[in-house]
Amino acid sequence: MVGISQTGVQRFFSLSKIGRAKTALLITNPLMNFLFLSACLHGIIMYAVYFKCDPILNSSETGLTNHDQIVPYFLVSKFHSIPGLTGLSVAGIFSGSLTTISSVLNSLATVTVIDFVHPIFQSLESNEKKSLLLAKGLALAYGAICICIALALTKISSLAQVGFLFHNTFEGPSLAIFTIGVMTRIGFGKSVLFSLLPGFAITQWIGFSSLFSGYNEPPLPLNTSMCSSTFNLTYDYSASEVSNIISPSTTLSPASQRSEQSSHPTRFKISESCGKALDEEN
């Protein structure tokens, strides 16, 4: 789908020769396939890590409310001990998203100016400066519209579902147009346009009907059977120290206990709380 997206086509058109465009396409396809496979592998890893302790089902402990928060939660919970890795990973996610969004907005503004504004206002076609300012203004307007849509969709359970919906409903008819152009020589502007509009209408009807119908695809089995209860200890103690606190090997005299408690108040506080927890379990 890379070769038929507007951002990809615009980049290929910026090259000086057709051969370079073909080379760029051949280089891009394996990289994009690797990217999509990596995303699928990432999802499989997320399921393998959390299928016995789902952070959404265990929201009372994790505070997560939807599945879009699982990846940041995974990064923070698993790699917090490595300095800088969590911030680097989150920065990579946001930078990749921003570069993609900027490319899409610029492409959308360029298409609007060239395909819609110039045929109507032909005087702007020869004025490159005004066309550039108009394209920048349209990119800003489209960005504001995207922000408003994102704010309106904050209540959606998964933004990824909405993103895939918009992507698939538009990319399907676009693929049909490219297929007609590659396989036949009888297609022309008006026929393609009149076939494109019903295609968009049908795919959007199917997509939005599935979104607002209330149907939820059954998820893979998830539970919280392996979620371990944790104690909020103030200090780090080794396993031997904690075992000695819970099950001391020696019995101290009352005077020794008072002196030991006065010298190590935190230790006896933890021992008392752990003892109460064990009594409740028994």
Side-chain angles (χ1 to χ4, degrees):
M1 302 298 285
V2 178
I4 67 170
S5 65
Q6 178 57 38
T7 54
V9 171
Q10 186 174 345
R11 289 166 181 169
F12 295 144
F13 279 164
S14 65
L15 298 174
S16 58
K17 297 180 180 179
I18 297 179
R20 292 184 177 181
K22 292 180 179 179
T23 303
L25 184 60
L26 292 175
I27 295 174
T28 303
N29 275 334
L31 296 177
M32 294 302 297
N33 291 333
F34 174 75
L35 177 63
F36 288 129
L37 288 176
S38 300
C40 295
L41 181 62
H42 192 194
I44 295 173
I45 292 174
M46 292 294 100
Y47 180 74
V49 171
Y50 292 123
F51 82 105
K52 288 291 186 180
C53 183
D54 183 26
I56 306 299
L57 297 178
N58 195 29
S59 59
S60 59
E61 295 289 337
T62 62
L64 304 187
T65 56
N66 58 66
H67 292 89
D68 295 328
Q69 300 170 325
I70 291 182
V71 173
Y73 175 77
F74 173 78
L75 294 174
V76 172
S77 61
K78 299 299 182 182
F79 301 110
H80 66 277
S81 59
I82 304 176
L85 183 59
T86 302
L88 182 63
S89 301
V90 175
I93 294 173
F94 280 104
S95 63
S97 302
L98 290 175
T99 54
T100 304
I101 293 172
S102 63
S103 300
V104 171
L105 294 178
N106 291 331
S107 176
L108 187 59
T110 303
V111 170
T112 304
V113 171
I114 294 177
D115 292 344
F116 294 96
V117 176
H118 283 173
I120 299 174
F121 304 98
Q122 297 181 359
S123 59
L124 290 176
E125 189 172 358
S126 59
N127 194 330
E128 185 177 351
K129 185 176 181 180
K130 289 185 178 180
S131 298
L132 182 60
L133 290 176
L134 180 60
K136 290 181 178 179
L138 287 173
L140 180 62
Y142 287 138
I145 293 173
C146 290
I147 292 174
C148 294
I149 293 175
L151 293 175
L153 296 177
T154 52
K155 301 299 182 181
I156 300 296
S157 60
S158 177
L159 291 178
Q161 181 183 1
V162 180
F164 285 128
L165 171 64
F166 280 100
H167 181 270
N168 295 333
T169 54
F170 285 101
E171 292 292 345
S174 299
L175 178 60
I177 292 176
F178 275 82
T179 304
I180 292 174
V182 172
M183 303 298 294
T184 67
R185 294 182 179 272
I186 59 175
F188 56 93
K190 291 184 179 180
S191 63
V192 171
L193 179 62
F194 283 111
S195 61
L196 179 64
L197 294 179
F200 277 139
I202 293 173
T203 54
Q204 289 184 4
W205 171 61
I206 295 173
F208 283 99
S209 297
S210 64
L211 180 64
F212 295 107
S213 63
Y215 171 76
N216 292 319
E217 186 176 352
L220 294 173
L222 296 167
N223 56 65
T224 58
S225 60
M226 297 296 291
C227 294
S228 58
S229 58
T230 57
F231 291 97
N232 292 324
L233 301 180
T234 307
Y235 298 98
D236 244 344
Y237 287 88
S238 64
S240 60
E241 288 176 334
V242 174
S243 63
N244 288 333
I245 292 172
I246 297 176
S247 302
S249 57
T250 58
T251 303
L252 300 177
S253 62
S256 300
Q257 288 181 0
R258 286 193 297 270
S259 61
E260 186 73 14
Q261 185 173 1
S262 61
S263 60
H264 299 285
T266 306
R267 178 177 176 180
F268 277 85
K269 185 177 180 180
I270 296 174
S271 176
E272 183 180 356
S273 62
C274 292
K276 289 181 179 179
L278 291 175
D279 292 338
E280 291 177 359
E281 291 181 0
N282 294 330

